[in-house]
Amino acid sequence: MIQLKTMLNCIDNSGAAVVECAKVMKMHRGAKIGDRIIVVVQKQRNFTDTGKGTSVGTSAANKVRRGDVRHAVVVRTAKKYQRPDGSVVKFDDNACVLINKAGEPIGTRLNGVVGVELRKMKWSKILSLAPMHL
Amino acid sequence: MTPTTPSLRPLSCCKALLRQTGLQKPAARSMTTYFNKPQAAFHKKLMRQEEPRKVIKVIAPPPSTRKVYKEPLKDVTEAQLAILDPTGSRTNLFSKTNTDAAKVGDILLVRLKNGDPFAGVCINIRRRGIDTGILLRNELTRVGVEMWFKIYSPNVEGVEVVQRKEKRARRARLTYMRKPKHDIGSVQNIVLAYQKSRGAIRGRADDGPVGHENKGGKRKVKGKK
């Protein structure tokens, strides 16, 4: 349930670390997994950070700066999401992936688990980039 | 009569009058009208003696559903369990009376028909008959994930107890495990160890392909504790 002023983690290597939701591109108050939103970058990812294992470094080409306004897709919500078979998913945080207006992800790699609802919402590119989906 | 003091009861004379008129009441009661003998048919109808009794159709009340189905919800649950859990194994696994049941605090692995198997600590068992569900908590790529599963769902192929909690949890709902102090974290290692041991046993028993069941992790365990 991502809405105006919600802070999300950006889990790709586009350069943003924390973004704030500015608009939900649907006629609903809250965005769920797989919904498109417009975000404002609040925190930049440290470029010299070369973490082991799961964190990814940013490429110089598509760096996103603080204050940039971009489109994004919600991939994890802390709000429970119900599936048709009766099971319910809930992540511990809210996360998104930055995309351009056409719907292609800006970053080249993803870091973290994403919700499987992306398949139904036709975000197959993001789903294929994800290391794990649930 | 000696003249009396002016009466304090001005209507007292009326009482005597009324008494007199009251005497006329029986006379009025005994007043009769002339009785004309009624016609024959009319007489019959009046007397209603020779006419056969009219039978009014009385429709029996519909069979009472309440008397037949005294506990409808219980019946519906049983009917659905007969389809979804015919052997009763799933019910037995979460039954309160079973000593070997899966309890809150155990690590469970749920295998699905459509989707990856999910393992996690059971932090809640919500008992609602056919809608009974379990809440499993795990950590995937350092993000905590909680999933509710309906145990009687046709999508749920099997539920296994990977690890039992040694001591019974002192609560029915272990939501305190969301706090970092009590968070177990990833259950991946425990599940892999369990599957290895199961695979080993299977291998000895069947002499079949070992390791095909090990579909838990996509990355190798690097001794993360």
Side-chain angles (χ1 to χ4, degrees):
Chain A
M1 190 94 159
I2 314 296
Q3 60 171 5
L4 174 64
K5 284 298 193 187
T6 305
M7 299 291 242
L8 300 102
N9 294 331
C10 187
I11 61 168
D12 58 9
N13 63 348
S14 59
V18 176
V19 301
E20 181 184 300
C21 174
K23 187 151 181 78
V24 176
M25 299 307 280
K26 268 200 164 175
M27 292 280 270
H28 298 298
R29 168 104 167 253
K32 300 186 285 204
I33 301 179
D35 286 346
R36 201 175 183 148
I37 55 172
I38 298 192
V39 297
V40 178
V41 179
Q42 297 293 338
K43 271 199 202 150
Q44 239 172 306
R45 211 181 275 280
N46 206 346
F47 297 131
T48 54
D49 178 20
T50 48
K52 255 203 285 192
T54 42
S55 70
V56 291
T58 46
S59 57
N62 31 4
K63 254 188 271 187
V64 173
R65 292 224 160 67
R66 218 186 91 87
D68 274 7
V69 178
R70 297 261 189 250
H71 286 238
V73 176
V74 178
V75 295
R76 289 204 294 260
T77 47
K79 179 92 178 86
K80 294 182 191 151
Y81 192 103
Q82 198 165 29
R83 300 230 168 112
D85 70 337
S87 60
V88 175
V89 205
K90 172 190 173 298
F91 297 96
D92 267 5
D93 69 342
N94 300 310
C96 67
V97 169
L98 298 192
I99 55 172
N100 62 12
K101 282 214 178 129
E104 289 153 29
I106 297 174
T108 51
R109 292 218 292 280
L110 289 193
N111 153 32
V113 60
V114 298
V116 142
E117 275 72 25
L118 295 176
R119 188 175 290 134
K120 204 176 97 181
M121 302 288 197
K122 311 276 194 280
W123 298 109
S124 43
K125 187 104 191 284
I126 297 171
L127 200 60
S128 62
L129 285 173
M132 200 184 279
H133 53 85
L134 180 66
Chain B
M1 296 289 276
T2 50
T4 53
T5 49
S7 179
L8 293 165
R9 296 165 61 229
L11 293 168
S12 58
C13 52
C14 298
K15 200 172 182 182
L17 257 173
L18 281 167
R19 223 178 274 140
Q20 274 178 18
T21 50
L23 283 167
Q24 289 172 17
K25 263 198 203 160
R29 246 185 266 142
S30 59
M31 191 168 60
T32 55
T33 52
Y34 285 107
F35 181 67
N36 286 324
K37 232 186 179 176
Q39 304 298 315
F42 184 62
H43 175 72
K44 247 194 205 170
K45 232 184 180 171
L46 258 182
M47 297 294 115
R48 272 192 233 158
Q49 283 164 355
E50 290 165 44
E51 214 174 74
R53 281 195 118 177
K54 230 190 204 174
V55 177
I56 303 167
K57 235 186 198 176
V58 175
I59 304 163
S64 163
T65 333
R66 188 176 274 193
K67 289 200 178 126
V68 177
Y69 297 106
K70 294 211 174 100
E71 283 181 333
L73 274 179
K74 199 167 145 208
D75 294 334
V76 166
T77 311
E78 275 173 13
Q80 293 193 321
L81 281 177
I83 304 166
L84 296 171
D85 187 24
T87 55
S89 56
R90 199 62 57 77
T91 320
N92 196 34
L93 180 62
F94 291 100
S95 159
K96 278 191 191 176
T97 50
N98 183 17
T99 43
D100 284 331
K103 290 195 176 67
V104 153
D106 296 344
I107 297 176
L108 304 179
L109 170 70
V110 173
R111 276 177 290 109
L112 303 171
K113 281 212 187 101
N114 301 319
D116 288 335
F118 187 82
V121 190
C122 179
I123 56 179
N124 196 351
I125 298 178
R126 179 184 184 263
R127 297 178 200 279
R128 294 287 189 280
I130 198 72
D131 276 327
T132 307
I134 49 171
L135 178 57
L136 304 180
R137 185 183 167 82
N138 194 3
E139 201 161 291
L140 302 181
T141 60
R142 287 202 256 126
V143 174
V145 184
E146 284 177 23
M147 280 199 87
W148 278 103
F149 289 104
K150 301 266 182 222
I151 58 173
Y152 297 117
S153 163
N155 195 27
V156 168
E157 213 186 279
V159 179
E160 296 162 17
V161 179
V162 170
Q163 191 188 74
R164 288 219 155 95
K165 200 167 156 67
E166 316 88 40
K167 273 192 185 175
R168 180 186 71 89
R170 300 220 63 169
R171 250 143 212 75
R173 326 260 178 239
L174 311 182
T175 48
Y176 63 76
M177 297 193 103
R178 292 175 182 151
K179 296 259 155 56
K181 181 180 169 189
H182 294 108
D183 201 352
I184 283 184
S186 177
V187 144
Q188 185 74 348
N189 298 345
I190 305 169
V191 173
L192 278 176
Y194 162 80
Q195 281 175 334
K196 255 187 214 162
S197 64
R198 278 274 305 273
I201 296 168
R202 277 268 178 86
R204 252 177 258 146
D206 304 340
D207 266 342
V210 178
H212 69 281
E213 214 169 293
N214 197 0
K215 41 183 169 166
K218 286 190 182 170
R219 42 164 210 243
K220 277 198 173 169
V221 173
K222 279 187 181 169
K224 172 182 158 200
K225 280 253 153 110

